[in-house]
Amino acid sequence: PISHLRHVFYEDATQYNGYEIGKNISAPTLIIHGDKDEQIPVAQSMKLSKSIPKVEFSIVKGADHRLANTRSEERRVGKE
């Protein structure tokens, strides 16, 4: 839960703009987001993916924040 995050996380979040930092990522990057994630909106990951030059963005249907849904795990590893 978000309540377990340390204060330092919040301090960093206010000092850095992840979307700007994304522009400097040169390594190929994979962003995976569950469409049932109730902690982070899919739109945020989509926005971040647009700022990274070499990115592959994938939405996993039925998966939550931890991608901890049996059906979505099967899709992820190609067992469906």
Side-chain angles (χ1 to χ4, degrees):
I2 291 178
S3 61
H4 294 340
L5 295 175
R6 296 180 184 198
H7 182 70
V8 113
F9 173 84
Y10 295 106
E11 288 176 345
D12 283 349
T14 61
Q15 293 179 14
Y16 300 102
N17 180 335
Y19 306 118
E20 288 298 316
I21 292 170
K23 295 176 184 177
N24 298 320
I25 297 174
S26 60
T29 304
L30 173 63
I31 297 176
I32 302 171
H33 200 110
D35 70 348
K36 301 296 183 198
D37 187 337
E38 295 180 357
Q39 295 179 357
I40 309 286
V42 174
Q44 283 186 339
S45 290
M46 289 176 126
K47 183 176 179 179
L48 177 62
S49 73
K50 291 176 182 176
S51 73
I52 300 172
K54 299 175 189 173
V55 70
E56 181 179 341
F57 180 71
S58 180
I59 296 175
V60 181
K61 290 184 180 182
D64 61 12
H65 184 71
R66 295 181 179 187
L67 301 175
N69 173 293
T70 303
R71 294 285 299 151
S72 62
E73 287 174 7
E74 289 173 3
R75 277 191 281 276
R76 234 178 339 156
V77 296
K79 293 183 179 177
E80 189 172 56

